[in-house]
Amino acid sequence: VTTTISPKQQALAAIAELIGDAGIVALDDGERYLVDHRSLYRGRPALIVRPASTAEVADVVKLCNGAGLKVVPQGGNTGYCGGATPDTGGDAVLLSLERLRGVREVDPVGYTMTVEAGVVLAEVQRHAEAADMLFPLSLGSEGSCQIGGNLATNAGGTAVLRFGNARELVLGLEVVLADGTVWNGLRALRKDNAGYDLKQLFLGAEGTLGIITAAVLKLFPKPRARETALVAVADVDAACRLLALARRESADAVTSFEYLPRFALDLVCRHIEGAVDPFTERHRHYALIELSTAASAARLDEQLRSLLEQGLEAGWVIDAAVAQSEAQRGRLWRLRESVPEAQRAEGGSFKHDVSVPPARLAEFLTRGLAAVAAAAPEARACVYGHIGDGNLHFNFLAPPGQALKDFFASHGERVSDAVLGLAAGLGGSVCAEHGVGQLKRPLLTRYLDPVSLRLMRQMKAALDPNDTLNPGKVVPPPVP
Ligand code: FAD
Ligand code: 2HG
Ligand code: ZN
C-alpha cells in the first residue's frame, strides 16, 4: 500500500527533525501555549515548536512558508488580545521564542543592550541595573512577558510619560521575514537616515510582518533619586492640572502619573494579600506620582513637597501619602500594579483600552461614565490607568453575583459603542497600548479610515504575500 504524505506533513516532519525533542512540546502538554492569558481563545495548532536560535527560527518559517503552513509567534503569552493564539484550523505552527534567551552585548559607552527576543522583561531590567543603567519599560506583566512580545505589541506601561512606548526604546532589530530570510538590522545608531526606517514596520506589528529575534535597546543612566506619592485628588481634571504643574516644578522629572478611582483601590484591598489603603479617610480619586532623576544633587523631595503644597492651595490635592522608604514605595506601586489581578479575582472585567488627547481626558471620563450608566446602569466602572499618557483602561465589571460573560452578552455592545464612539469622537484611539490581535481586528474596520486600512493591507501583502505570519490578526480582511 502506498500512502502519500502531503507537503504540510513533510514540512512538519522536517521541522520536528530539525529542532529536536528539546524544542517540541506535545500538544497534550501545551495548555499554557494554547490558551491566552484572559482565557478568551484556545488554539489548535499542528505543532508547538521552540527553536533555540535565529537560524532555527528562519528554517522553521522557510519550511512553513513553502508548504502552506502558518506561523504564530508567541512570547510570554501575556497579551490581552489573543494575538499569540492560533486559530482552530490545525495548519499553524505555534512558534515560541522562549529559548532565545541570550544577552548578546551590554555597551556602557553607547548605552545600549543587545538581547534576544525571548529574554523576559524583568531580566532585561536586571541586566541594565547590574551595569548601573536603566531599561525603563515597566509593566505589571514584566515577570513573564518577553522583550520580543513587548516590541511586537509596542507595549506601553507606567514609564511612557518620560521614556516613551517600547517603540521609542529600540535602535535596531533582527527579524525573520515571511520567506525565512533573516534581516539583520541590529544597528546601534542614534542617527541613521539611510532610506526607510525599516525596523518601525515590525514594531507594533504583532508578528504579522516578521518575527523579531533580537533587538538593540536604548539604556539610560540609573536614577539616583526617586520620590513616590499616592495623592488623593479632587477629580481627574485636578489630577491633569497637577501633572502639568509637576512637569514644570520638577524640570520634567515626572516618570509616572497613574490614576486610580476609589473602586479600584477597594478591589485591590479586598483581593490582594497585604494591600492596605494608606489613608484613614476614603477618597474618590487618586494619582500615583513618581519623580526620578539621575542627577545626584537634585532635591526631588523639596520639589515634591512644593508641588503638593501648591496643589493643596489650588484645591486639586486633598491628601498625600509620600513613600519614606523603598519598602513603602513598593507598597504604593503594588496598589497600582495589582489592579488587573484584583479585577480577575472579582470575576474579570470587560475592557476598553482607549486613549484621547490629554486635554480631553476629564471630559472623556465624565461623559463616558454617564453614557455607560445610561446603557448599563448596573455595570461597575473600574476606569483607571496611565492618565499621564491620555490612556485610560475604561473597564467594567458585572454586578455582584452575575457572571461577566452573561452580563456583557446582553449589555456589552451598548457599553462598547458608548465608550469607543466617544473616544473616537474626541480624536482618540480604540487600541491604545494592548494592540489589536484577533480580538480587536473588527474595531479597525469600524474606526480606521479607508486609506489607513488600504495601506495596512498593502504592507501585509508586500511583506507576507502567502499570509504565512500570524494570519487573522491585526489587518482586517477587505470588505467584499
Ligand atoms: P505575547 O502575548 O506572547 O504576544 C503578543 C503579540 O506579539 C502576539 O501577536 C504575538 O504573536 C506577537 N509576538 C510575540 N513575540 C514576538 C516576536 N518575538 N516577534 C514577533 N511577534 C511576536 N500591556 C501594556 O502595553 N501596558 C501595560 O501596562 C500592561 N500591563 C499588563 C499587566 C498584566 C498583569 C498583564 C497580564 C498584561 C499586561 N499588558 C500590558 C499586556 C501584555 O503584557 C503586553 O502586551 C506584552 O507586551 C506582551 O508580551 P508577551 O511576551 O507576553 O507577548
Ligand atoms: C494596566 O495598566 C494594564 O494595569 C492592564 O495595561 C489593563 O486591566 C487592564 O485592562
Ligand atoms: Zn495599562
Side-chain angles (χ1 to χ4, degrees):
V1 182
T2 50
T3 48
T4 45
I5 304 176
S6 72
K8 285 183 184 173
Q9 284 168 323
Q10 282 179 31
L12 291 169
I15 291 168
E17 166 95 24
L18 179 85
I19 302 299
D21 286 351
I24 303 291
V25 180
L27 293 184
D28 287 344
D29 300 334
E31 192 69 6
R32 76 183 177 89
Y33 304 90
L34 299 177
V35 179
D36 70 301
H37 180 81
R38 295 173 64 191
S39 302
L40 297 175
Y41 303 98
R42 169 180 292 275
R44 196 175 68 85
L47 193 67
I48 303 172
V49 62
R50 307 181 318 137
S53 65
T54 301
E56 286 189 2
V57 174
D59 287 342
V60 172
V61 174
K62 190 173 180 184
L63 283 162
C64 290
N65 187 53
L69 289 163
K70 309 300 178 187
V71 183
V72 179
Q74 187 174 98
N77 199 18
T78 67
Y80 274 161
C81 303
T85 313
D87 65 15
T88 53
D91 69 349
V93 168
L94 193 160
L95 189 153
S96 167
L97 277 302
E98 68 190 353
R99 286 172 79 210
L100 269 71
R101 296 290 285 272
V103 175
R104 294 190 191 167
E105 192 189 6
V106 178
D107 174 1
V109 176
Y111 274 89
T112 62
M113 188 194 296
T114 306
V115 291
E116 294 183 350
V119 181
V120 168
L121 175 57
E123 272 295 295
V124 176
Q125 296 166 344
R126 275 196 285 276
H127 279 285
E129 205 173 331
D132 205 28
M133 292 183 279
L134 170 78
F135 182 64
L137 188 69
S138 180
L139 332 174
S141 54
E142 63 200 22
S144 42
C145 61
Q146 298 172 7
I147 190 68
N150 299 145
L151 303 185
T153 56
N154 186 28
T158 51
V160 173
L161 186 57
R162 176 86 165 279
F163 295 101
N165 293 291
R167 179 190 297 286
E168 280 135 287
L169 302 172
V170 181
L171 291 176
L173 287 182
E174 177 186 86
V175 179
V176 171
L177 305 177
D179 63 357
T181 308
V182 179
W183 174 58
N184 184 347
L186 277 182
R187 295 161 182 259
L189 302 174
R190 307 269 164 177
K191 287 192 172 177
D192 180 12
N193 283 344
Y196 298 142
D197 188 356
L198 296 173
K199 66 180 178 295
Q200 298 300 344
L201 289 173
F202 306 102
L203 296 164
E206 302 180 48
T208 59
L209 299 179
I211 300 182
I212 298 168
T213 47
V216 182
L217 304 173
K218 282 187 200 168
L219 302 179
F220 297 82
K222 193 156 100 184
R224 292 190 200 285
R226 244 194 302 237
E227 288 292 326
T228 310
L230 186 68
V231 181
V233 288
D235 52 28
V236 165
D237 183 49
C240 292
R241 288 170 197 273
L242 188 67
L243 169 59
L245 181 67
R247 293 188 60 178
R248 269 200 307 279
E249 281 291 307
S250 69
D252 235 352
V254 187
T255 316
S256 303
F257 201 95
E258 299 283 314
Y259 169 68
L260 287 181
R262 173 81 244 160
F263 181 67
L265 191 58
D266 279 344
L267 280 188
V268 170
C269 293
R270 186 176 313 152
H271 293 292
I272 306 299
E273 214 187 306
V276 181
D277 181 346
F279 300 99
T280 42
E281 299 212 359
R282 289 171 62 79
H283 301 287
R284 290 179 58 205
H285 308 276
Y286 302 88
L288 181 65
I289 306 177
E290 187 157 284
L291 311 179
S292 73
T293 178
S296 48
R299 301 297 305 167
L300 274 191
D301 50 350
E302 282 168 20
Q303 289 170 358
L304 180 65
R305 201 174 322 122
S306 156
L307 170 71
L308 294 175
E309 280 168 11
Q310 292 181 59
L312 267 169
E313 257 170 52
W316 304 332
V317 170
I318 299 168
D319 202 352
V322 179
Q324 304 296 337
S325 65
E326 197 50 33
Q328 283 184 7
R329 171 177 177 260
R331 281 199 284 276
L332 292 184
W333 266 109
R334 192 144 170 265
L335 295 175
R336 160 65 184 92
E337 294 289 18
S338 304
V339 179
E341 199 183 325
Q343 291 173 110
R344 270 163 88 92
E346 184 75 9
S349 60
F350 186 62
K351 296 179 189 293
H352 306 86
D353 170 35
V354 282
S355 63
V356 294
R360 313 295 300 265
L361 256 177
E363 178 190 357
F364 177 47
L365 183 68
T366 312
R367 289 177 57 192
L369 288 176
V372 174
E378 292 170 284
R380 294 183 291 165
C382 185
V383 179
Y384 74 101
H386 320 286
I387 54 168
D389 316 320
N391 174 198
L392 281 172
H393 297 307
F394 225 103
N395 297 350
F396 294 89
L397 280 71
Q402 287 196 44
L404 185 77
K405 242 186 174 163
D406 299 342
F407 184 75
F408 287 100
S410 46
H411 296 78
E413 204 175 312
R414 270 180 291 153
V415 169
S416 288
D417 285 354
V419 174
L420 302 178
L422 183 61
L426 292 172
S429 169
V430 297
C431 297
E433 64 166 1
H434 295 157
V436 179
Q438 46 187 310
L439 180 67
K440 297 188 183 165
R441 200 160 77 125
L443 294 187
L444 298 198
T445 314
R446 186 152 171 203
Y447 290 101
L448 239 55
D449 63 284
V451 180
S452 301
L453 286 171
R454 194 188 76 206
L455 285 169
M456 283 174 58
R457 290 184 187 118
Q458 284 173 336
M459 277 166 62
K460 174 72 177 168
L463 273 97
D464 182 15
N466 299 337
D467 201 18
T468 299
L469 296 176
N470 221 357
K473 316 288 169 60
V474 185
V475 190
V479 183

